[in-house]
Amino acid sequence: MESLNKRKSIRKYADKEVDEQLLTRLLREAGRTQTMGNLQLYSVVVTRSEEKKRQLAPAHFNQPMVTTAPVVLTFCADFRRTSRWAEERKAVPGYDNFLSFINAASDALLYTQTFCNLADEEGLGYCYLGTTVYMPQQIIETLRLPRLVMPVATITLGWPDENPPQTDRLPTEAIVHDETYRDYNAALIDRFYAEKEALPENKEFVRINNKETLAQVFTDVRYTRQDNEAMSRIFMETLKQQGFLWD
C-alpha cells in the first residue's frame, strides 16, 4: 500500500465537504477488518455539525482541527450492542468487566486503523487525536454514550489543505525482536535514537524547552508523570461509570 508509506497527519482542511456516500462506503469497507468472535465490538459517532464539534473541542484541548475539519469521527469500544442482543435472545451477557473492555478497545482500534488506510487510498487527510482517552467524560456527555460504550479514538477528516513533511520513525530493528524479547542496553538506545535526536527540528524542540535532551522534553514537558497519573485516575473512574470496572 504505497499511500501508507506517504502517510502524513493533516491538520488543515480545504473548504470542501466529505461526501456522505463516500464516508459511508469507507466505514462499510472498514468493517471487513479482523474482530474478536466476529462480534464487531465497536461503534462510530460521526460529527458534522458545527455545534457538536465546538462541544467536543474542549475534550481535545481545543485543537483547531476539531472545529475546522468537515468531519470528526469518534470510535468507541462498544459492548452495549452485543449485550442488548444477548438479552433480547434469552442469553445472559457477562461483558461488564475489564477484559471485555480490552477486547472491545482492540476491535475499535483495529477498525480505526483500517478506516484510516482506506481514507489514505481516497486522498483524504486525517489526524489521529490521542486526547480521546485524556478526558473521556466530556466526550461521553457530548455524544450521549451509554453504559458499556467507551471512546477510545478520534480522527478529524477532510480533504488536505497542507502538505506537511513526514514525521520521523525509529528504525525497524528498534521494534522487531527475533524469537524472544531483546532488552535495550545503552549502546542500542544510542544507535536507535541517534537519527531522531540529530534532526534539526528535534534539536530546536530541546532548545525552546530549555532541556538537555529530547527525552527530557517528553518526560518533563509533554507527558509528565503528574499528568499521566491524573488522567489515569480519570480514565479508570470513567471505566467504572461506563460499567467496565467494579469498585
Side-chain angles (χ1 to χ4, degrees), residues 41-60:
L41 303 170
Y42 48 79
S43 286
V44 188
V45 180
V46 179
T47 302
R48 288 183 180 270
S49 78
E50 298 302 320
E51 179 183 358
K52 279 295 181 186
K53 285 188 280 188
R54 283 195 298 270
Q55 291 174 8
L56 283 171
H60 297 290

Side-chain angles (χ1 to χ4, degrees), residues 12 48 51 63 67 74-75 86 97 105 107 109 115-116 119-120 146 154 158-159 168 174 185 203 216 220 234 241 245:
K12 295 181 180 179
R48 288 183 180 270
E51 179 183 358
Q63 296 176 85
T67 53
T74 305
F75 297 82
N97 47 66
D107 260 25
L109 292 172
F115 176 86
C116 289
D120 278 325
T154 302
W159 300 102
D168 63 280
N185 57 32
K203 287 186 174 182
Q216 289 175 347
D220 300 351
I234 292 170
Q241 169 197 298
L245 278 182

Side-chain angles (χ1 to χ4, degrees), residues 18-34 40 42-48 71-76 81 107-108 110-120 122 124 126 153-155 157:
V18 176
D19 181 75
E20 188 169 347
Q21 289 185 333
L22 171 61
L23 179 58
T24 298
R25 175 170 65 80
L26 297 180
L27 291 168
R28 181 181 66 250
E29 291 176 357
R32 299 309 307 172
T33 198
Q34 55 268 51
Q40 295 181 265
Y42 48 79
S43 286
V44 188
V45 180
V46 179
T47 302
R48 288 183 180 270
V71 183
V72 176
L73 300 174
T74 305
F75 297 82
C76 303
R81 182 179 62 252
D107 260 25
L110 287 168
Y111 179 80
T112 302
Q113 186 57 65
T114 299
F115 176 86
C116 289
N117 292 342
L118 293 169
D120 278 325
E122 294 292 335
L124 286 160
Y126 58 87
T154 302
I155 66 168
L157 182 74

